[in-house]
Amino acid sequence: MKMIVCRNSDMLESRDFLFYASPYAIARNQAVEKHAHEFVELAYVAEGEGEHEYRGRKHLLKEGDCFLIEPNEAHSYRVGPHAGLVMYNVLFQPSVLNVELEALRDEGPFDTPMLLDPPGGFDFFVALEPAERLEMMYLLDRIVAEFNVKKLGYRILIKTHLIDLFVFLGRCSDRRRQRLQPFEDAQAGEEKMIRQVCAWIETNYDKPMTLERISRRCGMRKSAFSALFKRHTGKAFADYCNGVRIQVAKQLLENGDDKLIQIASQAGFDNCGFFNKYFARTVGMAPGQYRRERRAGSLRSDK
């Protein structure tokens, strides 16, 4: 069977922006057969476990693994019966960042995917610690959101976020080389981790999120993470998430005419009845009344 080769035109956005980013899932007992591509692939394992074959060697993958695939190198993925695999793919040609890469090279030696043309090729792998994984997810989600929505200036922001991502990975790799812990001060590490969780919630409020999933990403038991989160934010995890969603819902009510069931969904509530009750309990009035009063107040202030 002839091996599949993915061309730039197959996957990347366009000839003047050779880039693509997206998460994807491989189900249990499934595989991505051996293939190669013309572009660079930066892969990150967000959830689950599996096997990656690359350059004739098999590697076990687990949550937090980040690695780079060279152009024209065959590789494949296989997932066993115990857990699926959720990965993020950032695909690009180095020419997308020519100017930025040159500036970074001037900063000194970075053990990161930025050095995309060393003698004999490149080989990058790093296993991220729990707190580092949160930062990685935050950076990746921003890149994917910009790529999907494509608002004015999205290409510039994607390049900026890519540089953030590469510098972050360079620092993670540098810590490994110097045998430093990700956070030498435990309290400072906890505070940064909770800030990263909050930033992730504020970016992904419309996605399903559970205490179990987030605590696992932080490498903690649910009870320990829950206590830590409340100590730093003053709120239970669920209340913090729903508080962010209520603020989003307020903006939607003030600035749009969508039905309440649509607003509930856009703000991340999967049950409109619960949204109505939670909104009334926290805001002091029902969503419909809030919209009417805000609109009436806005009309009075315009006169």
Side-chain angles (χ1 to χ4, degrees):
M1 181 182 296
K2 188 176 181 180
M3 185 180 66
I4 297 172
V5 177
C6 301
R7 309 294 179 188
N8 289 335
S9 57
D10 296 331
M11 297 293 298
L12 307 185
E13 179 179 287
S14 65
R15 294 178 65 180
D16 59 337
F17 192 56
L18 295 168
F19 180 85
Y20 174 87
S22 179
Y24 75 98
I26 308 174
R28 297 177 184 179
N29 296 315
Q30 298 297 311
V32 176
E33 298 301 334
K34 189 172 290 186
H35 64 285
H37 31 70
E38 295 181 332
F39 40 81
V40 178
E41 175 182 340
L42 178 69
Y44 176 70
V45 180
E47 294 182 22
E49 57 188 37
E51 179 183 270
H52 182 224
E53 184 173 352
Y54 182 54
R55 291 178 173 167
R57 296 179 58 189
K58 295 181 179 179
H59 308 268
L60 294 178
L61 296 179
K62 63 183 185 305
E63 185 174 329
D65 287 351
C66 181
F67 51 96
L68 200 67
I69 307 297
E70 279 192 76
N72 304 312
E73 287 280 355
H75 68 119
S76 63
Y77 298 100
R78 294 193 181 279
V79 176
H82 303 298
L85 192 64
V86 178
M87 302 185 66
Y88 277 72
N89 257 358
V90 179
L91 315 177
F92 62 99
Q93 284 291 350
S95 60
V96 169
L97 291 172
N98 272 341
V99 175
E100 292 81 4
L101 290 175
E102 284 301 322
L104 285 167
R105 287 188 180 98
D106 292 341
E107 289 293 316
F110 265 79
D111 182 16
T112 73
M114 291 175 289
L115 301 181
L116 297 175
D117 192 25
F122 52 79
D123 189 12
F124 177 84
F125 173 89
V126 63
L128 300 183
E129 299 290 338
E132 294 169 336
R133 296 173 203 170
L134 291 170
E135 178 75 9
M136 185 69 172
M137 290 298 301
Y138 176 67
L139 291 168
L140 286 169
D141 282 333
R142 293 178 74 184
I143 291 170
V144 170
E146 289 294 336
F147 185 70
N148 287 339
V149 178
K150 293 179 171 47
K151 290 183 178 179
L152 179 66
Y154 76 96
R155 293 181 178 180
I156 296 172
L157 284 178
I158 284 174
K159 291 181 181 185
T160 302
H161 297 330
L162 274 177
I163 295 301
D164 288 345
L165 181 66
F166 292 158
V167 171
F168 165 72
L169 288 173
R171 290 175 176 176
C172 291
S173 184
D174 193 55
R175 280 194 288 266
R176 305 298 185 277
R177 188 166 48 247
Q178 298 182 40
R179 298 191 177 184
L180 298 176
Q181 293 298 318
F183 300 106
E184 295 181 353
D185 180 83
Q187 184 175 356
E190 288 179 352
E191 291 175 355
K192 183 171 183 179
M193 182 175 68
I194 296 302
R195 287 199 304 271
Q196 291 169 338
V197 171
C198 292
W200 187 86
I201 292 169
E202 290 161 12
T203 305
N204 297 274
Y205 57 84
D206 57 339
K207 299 176 182 175
M209 55 183 73
T210 64
L211 178 60
E212 180 177 11
R213 184 181 183 188
I214 296 297
S215 59
R216 187 177 69 247
R217 285 190 172 180
C218 294
M220 301 178 68
R221 298 188 308 275
K222 285 196 299 183
S223 57
F225 173 79
S226 182
L228 181 67
F229 188 88
K230 189 167 186 177
R231 185 164 74 247
H232 283 279
T233 66
K235 296 182 179 180
F237 178 75
D239 287 337
Y240 189 94
C241 294
N242 287 330
V244 170
R245 290 164 172 158
I246 289 296
Q247 293 305 312
V248 173
K250 283 182 176 180
Q251 295 178 13
L252 293 171
L253 287 165
E254 293 172 21
N255 300 317
D257 297 308
D258 288 341
K259 295 180 179 179
L260 293 184
I261 191 170
Q262 294 172 311
I263 287 176
S265 177
Q266 292 167 26
F269 291 95
D270 57 6
N271 184 297
C272 189
F274 175 78
F275 164 67
N276 289 332
K277 292 178 181 178
Y278 195 89
F279 191 99
R281 186 167 74 245
T282 57
V283 179
M285 65 183 75
Q289 182 183 353
Y290 178 85
R291 171 183 270 168
R292 289 191 296 272
E293 292 198 3
R294 295 295 293 183
R295 294 286 177 85
S298 176
L299 288 172
R300 283 195 295 269
S301 65
D302 290 340
K303 291 181 179 180

